[in-house]
Amino acid sequence: MSYCILQIALDTPLDGVFDYRWPCEPGDEPAVGQLALVNFGRREAVGVIVAIRQDSQVPAGKLKDALAVRNQLAPLSGQWLALARFAAAYYHRPLGEVAMPGLPKNLRLSTTVALDRALKKLAKLEDTHDATPANMPALNPEQRQAADAIGGAQGFTPLLLYGVTGSGKTEVYLQACAQVLARDPDAQILVLVPEINLTPQLEANIRTRFPGLMLATLHSSLSEGERMLHWLAAHQGRARIILGTRLAILSSLPKLKLIVIDEEHDPSYKQQEGLRYSARDLAVWRAHQLGIPIVLGSATPSLESWHHAQTGRYRKLELRERAVRDAVLPRVRLVDMERDKPKDGLTGALLHALRQRLEAGEQSLLFLNRRGYAPVLCCESCGWISNCTRCTANMVLHRPEHRLRCHHCSLELRIPHSCPTCGNIDLQPLGRGTQRVEEGLQAMFPQARILRIDADSTRRKGSAQAAFDSVHRGEVDILIGTQMVAKGHDFKKLTLVGVLNPDTALFSQDYRASERLFAQLMQVAGRAGRAGLESEVLIQSRYCTHPLYGAVMRHDYDRFASDLLAERHQAALPPYMYQALLRAEAPELAIAIAFLEQARDALASSTVTINDPIPMTMTRVHNVERAQLLVESNSRPALQAFLTAWVDALRALKSRVRWSLEVDPLDI
Ligand SMILES: [Zn+2]
Ligand SMILES: [Zn+2]
């Protein structure tokens, strides 16, 4: 019997490509890109074959045989492997750790029962292969121009679709899709959206427009069985439109011809743990590798993308008008909370506006990005406050649930009857979350139908969708919610948006806070008046003269972005600087800092600035102390070269501190 050597990437924290022996006649070897089952340590694991060799560096006695090759599954393509290799190199993670988690869990099992079942199910599905669009609405001239530019683009073409809220970006995407599909009957199109709760609306839209095509969705709330089926449909090239959240960027799409990224500025495109990748950035790389167009859409593009459009790297397409006839952008007014003192969090001006909407039978939305009843419970006689014992954070009062909850480590306690330090029974909630605003509204407007939508009210699967449906059906007069309600939704009867407490972000240490606040305010303001009803947005603030609010009032993203870019340039911040962040976690802060000091001194560089370690703003989470060290350079290649050498040096430190490296961090 003769053998070949399979080099297999496995999902391990070690630098994970391993050699295995596989019995086969010459010319009958498995293919690169196939999955294989192997023994790894004491467990069985599935990995992907990344190379096939005749010999191995591993001594023959130590070489194990692979257990099985998944022949029923077509190999992952060389292009897919190249994407995984790029991501691994760019984010400085082991190849297997990048490649494997992108695959459905059911593909990574020891048995093939689930795989075989899914393949059988797929084989029974009929291919309709009819890309003829249906029910396509007429576009206005701006939309037409944009759709033609995307649909007609050849080769790698990054396009920034900059369109005000309600300008009908979705229609532009869909008509561009229709053009691509008309030209290439086998084409696959990947549409990325930031949040799962936005997909039902878009999914329904795609199905109506392309009734003859197979659509696959890929997001984290699918069951494992569904995810397997959808992933396979994409892998086989049979699903023609793939609609997904960030993880979908790593799926196998052999006939990919167009990528659409909706709300490209949204921070949820960034994975915040494990492999901290940016799905948007990987998508641009993937489009470049395949030589296909990619469209990035937003009303408030990220400064990175805006900068690329200004410098000509991206082609800019603009939608300045709202798509619905006579729909204009809402009027934005600032309400000075110093003069108009709020009652239960609501100023007189906002209460008056709410009353008007109720009388007119129109809907209102109150936006407060803070869930719970109050951010902290305190004792006024001794100064006790509800700290979390495990985190540098307060425990949030959740009155309806009778709990104090830490939003960082999920510690839960019953609300104390009296002060734990002095016994005072009169404990006071301080500040205001969505639950408290809801309570105040109910007291002031007992006849109104009030609905709160936040992470607490939508814990059950499907409850978020049910809540949004009831708003769409007009069963809600006043909607109160966190950022969950700010994005994407097209509420036809909504004519008033009230923003309750945006000021804190103005003075954040995070240099991206103002970019985010502006995007958030424009997004939430954009929920109003989309169907042509006259509408307004009231922002309650103590800092009414702040230039950020001025820009929001004028709906002036261009000006805001160019001012902010000038500031970033002067302060040498991204997108003029490339950054990476080394984080360390330890039971004691001094240990984490000591490790980072060693890391700082491990490697000298003339092209990269290595800063001093500092504790993270939220130093302790779940009894773990956290510190970080920033490295930066004005050259991306210089930073990358440094990181490659640095990661080797860090591994050689053999510290027991848990550390992780993040390239292009969003939160510093
Ligand atoms: Zn007390
Ligand atoms: Zn905690």
Side-chain angles (χ1 to χ4, degrees), residues 29 59 100 123 138 184 192 388 416 457 573:
E29 294 91 356
M100 297 315 291
D184 182 347
L192 292 182
C388 176
S457 76
L573 287 168

Side-chain angles (χ1 to χ4, degrees), residues 93-135:
R93 308 290 295 205
L95 177 58
E97 206 194 59
V98 175
M100 297 315 291
L103 304 180
K105 262 203 192 94
N106 283 352
L107 263 185
R108 293 180 269 148
L109 302 175
S110 302
T111 75
T112 59
V113 178
L115 171 61
D116 296 334
R117 194 189 305 133
L119 286 169
K120 216 181 262 172
K121 216 167 175 179
L122 261 182
K124 280 194 205 137
L125 281 184
E126 244 173 88
D127 267 328
T128 40
H129 255 283
D130 180 4
T132 322
N135 310 307

Side-chain angles (χ1 to χ4, degrees), residues 301 303 306-307 310 511 514-515 518 545-552 554 556-576:
L303 283 189
W306 186 252
H307 180 58
Q310 300 299 76
Y511 73 90
S514 54
E515 179 186 354
F518 185 84
T545 55
H546 196 286
L548 186 144
Y549 293 136
V552 173
R554 297 189 305 274
D556 192 355
Y557 171 82
D558 301 38
R559 176 68 187 282
F560 175 76
S562 59
D563 287 354
L564 212 52
L565 275 176
E567 273 177 44
R568 297 266 184 98
H569 191 249
Q570 201 155 32
L573 287 168
Y576 302 96

